[in-house]
């Protein structure tokens, strides 16, 4: 889109022989972008008061509603950039690269192409709708945002509102409902956090795993009993252990092997 400069206006005035004042010349040079933009849903349906439930629900639409012709309030054909800001336009909220926010419009001012954002189809005129997301939360307490569009040729980094010159831009304000975050759950044993009054919290309520179901430490197992003669286990220094301390049964009371008894004496009368 070419700018109308004071030089061209002065030249035109000279050709027709007119005399143009500086005030008129300056006012004429401030020609603003014609047409309008609308924020809408993915299918182009109008939204009362421009209030949306989620940031992802907001789409950009170049065409008006069902009862208006396609070219009503249409922007000039060409390529445009868009951005999302706070209501003042000072805080840029769009979080991706400017080239990802490029779109093309036809002679009716309807969007025909988006270069880097998700799109939908306008149910009124079959045009493309363009999702404004991703963009950051607005600092505005009322949850209000401003959508901007400007011709690519009029985008000037470092000037205007984040490179968008107001007189060459069109805007539309919208709101996103602020849904209060649910309060955090009250602390409880098993939530994985060691809260006040808890000695441990391993994220479950299973006993015997080091942290009990009341978030107290699992008691250590009792030590093994001291080895002794008669416990049924042959320990170091023992020759045997039959589980008792009775002598004469092959293993003495001191866990030493007992010799078998001698054979009975021979009977003198035995042949």
């Amino acid at each position: 889109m070419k700018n109308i400069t004071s030089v061209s206006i002065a030249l035109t005035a000279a050709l027709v022989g007119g005399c143009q004042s500086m005030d008129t010349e300056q006012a004429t040079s401030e020609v603003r972008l014609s047409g309008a933009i609308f924020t809408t849903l993915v299918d182009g349906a109008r939204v009362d008061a421009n209030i949306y439930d989620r940031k992802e629900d907001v789409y950009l639409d170049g065409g008006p509603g069902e009862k208006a012709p396609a070219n009503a309030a249409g922007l000039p054909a060409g390529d445009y950039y868009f951005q999302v800001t706070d209501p003042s336009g000072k805080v840029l909220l769009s979080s991706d690269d400017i080239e990802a926010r490029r779109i093309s419009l036809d002679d009716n001012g309807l969007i025909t192409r988006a270069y880097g954002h998700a799109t939908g189809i306008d149910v009124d005129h079959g045009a493309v709708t363009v999702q404004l997301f991703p963009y950051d939360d607005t600092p505005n307490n009322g949850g209000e945002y401003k959508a901007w569009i400007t011709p690519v040729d009029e985008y000037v980094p470092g000037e205007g509102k984040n490179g968008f010159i107001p007189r060459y831009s069109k805007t539309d304000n919208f709101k996103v409902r602020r849904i209060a975050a649910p309060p955090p759950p009250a602390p409880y044993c098993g939530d994985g956090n060691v809260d006040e009054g808890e000695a441990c919290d391993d994220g479950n309520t299973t006993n015997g795993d080091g942290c009990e179901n009341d978030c107290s430490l699992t008691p250590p197992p009792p030590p093994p009993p001291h080895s002794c003669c008669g416990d049924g286990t042959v320990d170091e220094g023992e020759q045997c252990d039959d589980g008792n301390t009775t002598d004469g049964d092959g293993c003495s009371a001191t866990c030493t092997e007992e010799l078998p008894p001698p054979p009975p004496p021979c009977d003198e009368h035995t042949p």
Side-chain angles (χ1 to χ4, degrees), residues 7 36 92 96 98 110 120 122 127 133 137 153 175 213 228 241 250 263:
V7 174
L92 175 64
D96 54 353
I98 186 68
L110 301 179
D122 187 340
F133 193 80
D137 291 341
D153 292 343
K175 289 186 177 182
N213 63 5
C228 60
D241 195 320

Side-chain angles (χ1 to χ4, degrees), residues 86-87 137-145 175-179:
D86 72 324
D137 291 341
T138 178
N140 178 266
N141 291 332
E144 188 171 354
Y145 299 79
K175 289 186 177 182
V176 176
R177 301 181 193 275
R178 288 181 179 256
I179 302 175

Side-chain angles (χ1 to χ4, degrees), residues 107-193:
D107 292 336
N108 288 321
L110 301 179
I111 302 172
T112 59
R113 179 184 179 186
Y115 288 76
H117 277 230
T119 61
I121 298 298
D122 187 340
V123 294
D124 297 326
H125 304 292
V128 172
T129 60
V130 182
Q131 188 182 45
L132 295 180
F133 193 80
Y135 53 92
D136 299 329
D137 291 341
T138 178
N140 178 266
N141 291 332
E144 188 171 354
Y145 299 79
K146 185 184 291 290
W148 297 67
I149 191 170
T150 197
V152 169
D153 292 343
E154 304 295 352
Y155 174 71
V156 184
E159 295 189 17
K161 304 292 186 178
N162 314 298
F164 287 59
I165 310 301
R167 68 177 178 274
Y168 301 133
S169 304
K170 289 296 178 180
T171 65
D172 189 22
N173 285 31
F174 63 93
K175 289 186 177 182
V176 176
R177 301 181 193 275
R178 288 181 179 256
I179 302 175
Y188 62 92
C189 180
D191 62 4
N193 299 313

Side-chain angles (χ1 to χ4, degrees), residues 241-259:
D241 195 320
D242 56 0
N244 62 64
T245 55
T246 303
D247 287 328
D249 59 357
C251 187
S252 71
T254 58
C255 287
T256 58
E257 293 179 352
E258 295 177 322
L259 296 175

Side-chain angles (χ1 to χ4, degrees), residues 45-148:
R46 299 296 297 272
V47 178
D48 291 339
N50 286 339
I51 298 178
Y52 301 85
D53 291 330
R54 305 180 310 145
K55 293 193 298 182
E56 293 85 349
D57 293 341
V58 190
Y59 281 69
L60 190 66
D61 189 359
E66 180 180 5
K67 295 181 180 180
N71 61 354
L75 294 165
D79 278 14
Y80 291 77
Y81 291 135
F82 66 85
Q83 67 172 351
V84 177
T85 71
D86 72 324
S88 71
K90 295 179 180 179
V91 182
L92 175 64
L93 301 176
S94 293
S95 55
D96 54 353
D97 185 75
I98 186 68
E99 286 299 330
R101 291 180 271 123
R102 184 169 181 156
I103 58 177
S104 296
L105 275 66
D106 65 12
D107 292 336
N108 288 321
L110 301 179
I111 302 172
T112 59
R113 179 184 179 186
Y115 288 76
H117 277 230
T119 61
I121 298 298
D122 187 340
V123 294
D124 297 326
H125 304 292
V128 172
T129 60
V130 182
Q131 188 182 45
L132 295 180
F133 193 80
Y135 53 92
D136 299 329
D137 291 341
T138 178
N140 178 266
N141 291 332
E144 188 171 354
Y145 299 79
K146 185 184 291 290
W148 297 67

